[in-house]
Amino acid sequence: MQLLRTSPHLLCFLTLLLASKMSAVSASGQVPAHKPVSDQHWYPATATWYGSPEGDGSDGIGGACGYGSMVDVKPFRARVGAVSPVLFRNGEGCGACYKVRCLDKSICSRRAVTVIVTDECPGGYCSNGRTHFDLSGAAFGRMAVSGEGGQLRNRGELSVIYRRTACKYPGKNIAFHVNEGSTNYWLSLLVEFEDGDGDVGSMHIRQAGGSEWMEMKHVWGANWCIIGGPLMGPFSVKLTTLSTGRSLSARDVIPGNWSPKATYTSRLNFSPSKP
């Protein structure tokens, strides 16, 4: 994913070009049905850990979703998870939350750890269509009975069960980080702290005084972009979740005098679905 970050403008352009060529095909397709985000059924998977033993996984880097240093602080801290491509979904799985529990009663707690998808593990244990969680050292150790976190990490790969769960960010509202390099002709946003589904299926913006919602394109991770211009703020932003299709509109959340690398917090959030 590092390569994608080095040329975001080009990547955005190529994404829009590809989308325009596919629009005739997608327009006639049906919207897929999605299960409720919280699932009471547990499914088999495997798990490993990465980073430092008590660390946050993508320490100081942030991982393939683009959350950056956010992974090192609450509410992400110690809840970081990299997932195999079947759950990462080319970045559309970013922000989704899962409960993961190991099964060895001799060392594993009955308690499940809740993790947030912030990264992808594309090879090794995560290849060949496997469902795999590569957890931060801290999250992996939390699955152990008290005092046995180190011994559990020494086991290496574990058999686990997992299920989707609603994301909960108490005291947080949805925020939009304006990515570095954004201009009045190229705007890229990173979505943060989405309660409930956690994932984003589509994203639109509306310019100052406008009535039309303009579609943004998913670029990589949790990042979306639009090319046009000149784009005039303040901008309203509409999100639709991938999992359940719920929508939310934040009016004039990005001010007219916005600046790259700034983060703008809305007054809204989804209510987490009940587990």
Side-chain angles (χ1 to χ4, degrees), residues 27-161:
S28 60
Q30 295 181 345
V31 177
H34 296 290
K35 297 179 181 179
V37 64
S38 293
D39 192 344
Q40 293 303 301
H41 297 283
W42 293 89
Y43 302 94
T46 51
T48 49
W49 63 278
Y50 72 123
S52 55
E54 296 291 344
D56 302 315
S58 307
D59 303 313
I61 301 174
C65 290
Y67 294 124
S69 59
M70 287 173 57
V71 303
D72 299 324
V73 296
K74 292 182 177 180
F76 286 87
R77 186 176 185 182
R79 301 172 67 193
V80 165
V83 292
S84 55
V86 293
L87 296 180
F88 190 72
R89 295 180 168 184
N90 293 317
E92 289 187 340
C94 288
C97 296
Y98 292 90
K99 288 186 179 293
V100 183
R101 181 161 65 91
C102 59
L103 300 174
D104 186 344
K105 295 180 180 179
S106 68
I107 194 170
C108 296
S109 168
R110 294 174 59 88
R111 178 184 65 251
V113 62
T114 300
V115 297
I116 306 164
V117 175
T118 64
D119 204 354
E120 179 184 29
C121 59
Y125 292 112
C126 297
S127 59
N128 300 319
R130 298 180 64 183
T131 303
H132 186 84
F133 292 83
D134 199 16
L135 306 180
S136 69
F140 194 90
R142 284 189 177 185
M143 293 190 293
V145 295
S146 180
E148 295 297 328
Q151 291 301 317
L152 186 64
R153 284 188 289 270
N154 289 340
R155 294 283 183 93
E157 184 186 15
L158 292 176
S159 293
V160 298
I161 53 176

